[in-house]
Amino acid sequence: MANLSNRMLLTAQVALGFAALAAMGMYPPAQGRILLVPLADRHADAAARVALSAGAALLGRGPFPGSWVVVGERARIAARVDGWDMLLVAAPPAGCSGDAGAVAA
């Protein structure tokens, strides 16, 4: 019985470790590429309005409906988000266009 509980504890610890690594990988940078995903407001321009009002540059549409990949400062963007209306995550390099195609704010 002790062997089974030790194995379950080890499995839980490994799963928690992987979850922590995944969460750290999704945390948006202080400045750089950020994926904005609207949660409550599904209007196509809600994320773009938030980003532009925070002085960020639009790189392109994100993989989710109404989402945008932007280049900007996390603190300025987060200050413009009302409550839990929008999710800010690190934008993966794959699928993101270069900064040369950014739309100036």
Side-chain angles (χ1 to χ4, degrees):
M1 274 315 221
N3 191 20
L4 180 60
S5 65
N6 285 342
R7 191 174 301 151
M8 289 175 56
L9 182 60
L10 179 63
T11 301
Q13 289 175 339
V14 168
L16 184 61
F18 280 123
L21 288 174
M24 286 188 300
M26 291 177 48
Y27 193 74
Q31 184 171 352
R33 292 180 177 173
I34 300 172
L35 174 64
L36 303 178
V37 182
L39 299 176
D41 190 3
R42 293 291 181 188
H43 297 294
D45 59 347
R49 278 193 316 250
V50 168
L52 291 174
S53 70
L58 303 175
L59 280 181
R61 293 213 177 261
F64 305 106
S67 66
W68 281 88
V69 177
V70 301
V71 174
E73 295 179 30
R74 179 186 66 224
R76 290 182 67 184
I77 296 170
R80 304 273 190 212
V81 175
D82 295 328
W84 291 95
D85 291 345
M86 194 161 307
L87 183 64
L88 282 69
V89 294
C96 295
S97 63
D99 292 343
V103 177

